[in-house]
Amino acid sequence: MAADKVDPIHQFHITKILPIQVGHWDVSFTNSSLFMAVVVILTTAFLVMATSGRSVVPGRWQLVAEMSYSFVANTLRDAAGKSGMKFFPLVFSLFMFVLVANLLGMIPYFFTITSHIIVTFCLAMLVILTVVIYGIWKHGFHFFGLFVPSGVPAALIPLVTMIEVISFLSRPISLSVRLFANMLAGHITLKVFAGFIVTLSAAGAVGMAGSILPLAMAVALTALEFLVAFLQAYVFTVLTCMYLNDAIHPGH
Amino acid sequence: MIERSPGGDPEPKPAKRSAAATSPAEEAALAARLERLGESLEARRTAEEAEKSRGRSSGFGRATKIASEFVAGVIVGGGVGWAIDRGLGTAPWGMILFVLLGFAAGVLNVLRAEGVVADAGVRLREAGRNSGTPTDRSDG
C-alpha cells in the first residue's frame, strides 16, 4: 500500500475491465477504453444539452458550447482559410476529445488516456492520413510537389526532397510525442510532489511543517496542469489545421 | 447543432429580437447584457492573444516541442533506413544514409518549429506567386 502510494507510474497502468479475445487479438475493454467512452459520452451529452435550448441570448452552458465552437472555427479559418472549414467536424472532434480527455485526467483517481503514446499516435495518424489521402485525391500527383522546394539547384534536389519527406513523415511522431510527453511528465511531477507530502507528514511534527512546501508546489502544479491540458489541446488543434492547410493548398 | 457562428456577431441577433420585443425596460436590460457579453468576449480574446504569444516563451512547452521535433526526425530517418535495409538487404548502408538524413530532417523540423525556415507549403506558395524569382528563406 505504501509502495503503491509513492509509485508515480502506477496511475498509468492499464487494467482489463472486461477481457475479450478475438482470435489472436486481445480486444479487452480496459480502463483506457472506459475513459475514452466516458470522454465521448460526456462531450456529446454536454454539447447536445448545451445547445438544445437554442435561445437567442445564450445561457451559461450554451455560451460555453458556442465559445468552443467559435474558438476552433477561428483557429481553423486562420490557419487553413475558408476552404478549410470542410474539415471543421474533424478538427472540432479532435479538439474536444483531447481537451476533455486532458481535463478528465486531472480528476484524482481518473485515468489520463492522452498519457499513452499509442492513443496520441493514433490521433496523429488520423490527422496525417487525412492530409495525405485528401491531398492526393484533390491534387493528384501535384501533392508531392510539397516535397520538392523550388529554387534549389538541380544537383541538390534529390537530397533536399529526401530530407523533406523524412521531415513530413516525422510529423505524426512529433505531434503525438508532444501531447503524450506533456501529459505524462505533468502527471508524474504532480504525483511525485504529492508523494513528498505523504512521506514528509509521516515523519513527525518537523515533517508536517516541512510538507507545506511540497503542498504549495502541488497546488501550483495543479493550476499549471490545467493550463497545460488546455494548451496541449490547442497546440494539437493548431498543428492539425496547419497540416490540413498543406493538403488544401500544397502550392503550385 | 449550432447553426450560426457566435464569435463575431453576437450583436445583430439580440438587436433583431429587441426590434420585435415590447417593453423598453426589457430592451435596456438586453442592452446591458449585450454590453457585458461584448466585454467578456473582448477580455477572452485578449487573454487568448496573450496566451498565444506566451506559448512561445513557456520554457517547458518549448523544450518538449523542440525535443520532439528533433527526435522525431532522427527516429523516422532510422526507421526508413532500417526498412530499406530489411527490404533490399543493403545493410548497413541504408541505415547510415537515412540516419544522417534524419538528423538533417530533425534540424529542419526544429528550424521550422522556431520559424527560422518557412514551412514547405508557405515557401512553395510564395515561390508560385512570384515565380521566376526563387525565394530562398533558409538564410533567415
Side-chain angles (χ1 to χ4, degrees):
Chain A
M1 193 61 209
D4 186 89
K5 243 175 198 163
V6 290
D7 177 14
I9 305 295
H10 184 78
Q11 55 179 325
F12 305 116
H13 271 296
I14 298 260
T15 49
K16 288 180 193 175
I17 296 174
L18 191 70
I20 306 168
Q21 191 90 17
V22 178
H24 293 296
W25 292 298
D26 184 6
V27 287
S28 305
F29 192 82
T30 61
N31 53 352
S32 184
S33 335
L34 174 69
F35 275 95
M36 281 184 220
V38 167
V39 167
V40 171
I41 292 167
L42 210 65
T43 315
T44 314
F46 164 67
L47 286 174
V48 166
M49 267 151 48
T51 54
S52 62
R54 292 205 188 181
S55 46
V56 179
V57 180
R60 224 172 286 150
W61 292 107
Q62 194 183 340
L63 194 64
V64 173
E66 291 185 357
M67 268 176 161
S68 50
Y69 171 93
S70 62
F71 180 66
V72 177
N74 287 338
T75 310
L76 183 58
R77 216 174 288 126
D78 285 352
K82 268 245 163 4
S83 52
M85 286 306 281
K86 64 166 83 77
F87 288 108
F88 180 77
L90 171 75
V91 177
F92 187 70
S93 310
L94 274 174
F95 175 74
M96 288 308 276
F97 185 79
V98 175
L99 179 66
V100 174
N102 287 353
L103 290 178
L104 212 61
M106 287 306 297
I107 301 172
Y109 293 103
F110 275 39
F111 185 81
T112 321
I113 51 177
T114 42
S115 65
H116 277 266
I117 192 160
I118 187 64
V119 175
T120 58
F121 185 69
C122 283
L123 292 177
M125 279 315 282
L126 179 70
V127 172
I128 296 297
L129 287 180
T130 308
V131 167
V132 171
I133 292 169
Y134 179 79
I136 291 176
W137 174 68
K138 189 84 184 175
H139 304 279
F141 190 71
H142 217 79
F143 176 69
F144 294 103
L146 193 63
F147 303 128
V148 189
S150 52
V152 173
L156 283 178
I157 279 184
L159 188 68
V160 173
T161 305
M162 224 118 69
I163 292 173
E164 290 280 359
V165 168
I166 293 174
S167 168
F168 183 83
L169 290 177
S170 71
R171 277 174 176 185
I173 293 184
S174 66
L175 191 59
S176 54
V177 164
R178 195 173 307 159
L179 177 58
F180 144 81
N182 269 287
M183 297 319 289
L184 186 81
H187 280 78
I188 289 179
T189 324
L190 204 53
K191 195 81 168 188
V192 165
F193 276 99
F196 283 167
I197 305 171
V198 177
T199 323
L200 269 175
S201 56
V206 182
M208 270 302 206
S211 70
I212 290 172
L213 289 173
L215 179 64
M217 196 70 193
V219 171
L221 275 174
T222 308
L224 182 73
E225 275 309 296
F226 275 109
L227 180 72
V228 167
F230 176 77
L231 212 62
Q232 285 307 314
Y234 175 66
V235 165
F236 199 91
T237 314
V238 167
L239 287 172
T240 303
C241 296
M242 277 170 54
Y243 296 161
L244 286 172
N245 187 34
D246 280 351
I248 299 164
H249 329 272
H252 298 286
Chain B
M1 264 321 277
I2 313 166
E3 299 291 327
R4 58 218 159 84
S5 67
D9 53 4
E11 288 85 1
K13 263 141 205 156
K16 224 185 286 168
R17 188 190 160 173
S18 69
T22 47
S23 67
E26 197 182 12
E27 210 165 315
L30 259 177
R33 279 188 79 177
L34 198 58
E35 203 161 310
R36 255 181 291 144
L37 177 68
E39 269 169 28
S40 66
L41 273 177
E42 194 54 46
R44 195 186 144 81
R45 207 156 290 149
T46 42
E48 272 167 20
E49 292 298 321
E51 197 161 60
K52 233 182 262 182
S53 59
R54 205 179 37 188
R56 290 195 65 76
S57 58
S58 138
F60 182 72
R62 207 168 157 193
T64 45
K65 185 181 170 192
I66 291 176
S68 68
E69 291 283 2
F70 183 70
V71 170
V74 180
I75 289 176
V76 168
V80 169
W82 181 80
I84 286 178
D85 278 349
R86 227 179 121 85
L88 305 178
T90 50
W93 298 108
M95 187 92 170
I96 291 172
L97 178 67
F98 276 91
V99 165
L100 289 176
L101 285 175
F103 271 102
V107 172
L108 183 66
N109 281 348
V110 169
L111 290 178
R112 236 170 228 164
E114 283 299 289
V116 182
V117 177
D119 230 0
V122 176
R123 205 177 40 193
L124 274 168
R125 270 190 292 290
E126 267 174 19
R129 212 169 295 132
N130 42 24
S131 51
T133 51
T135 45
D136 186 19
R137 297 273 298 273
S138 54
D139 55 332

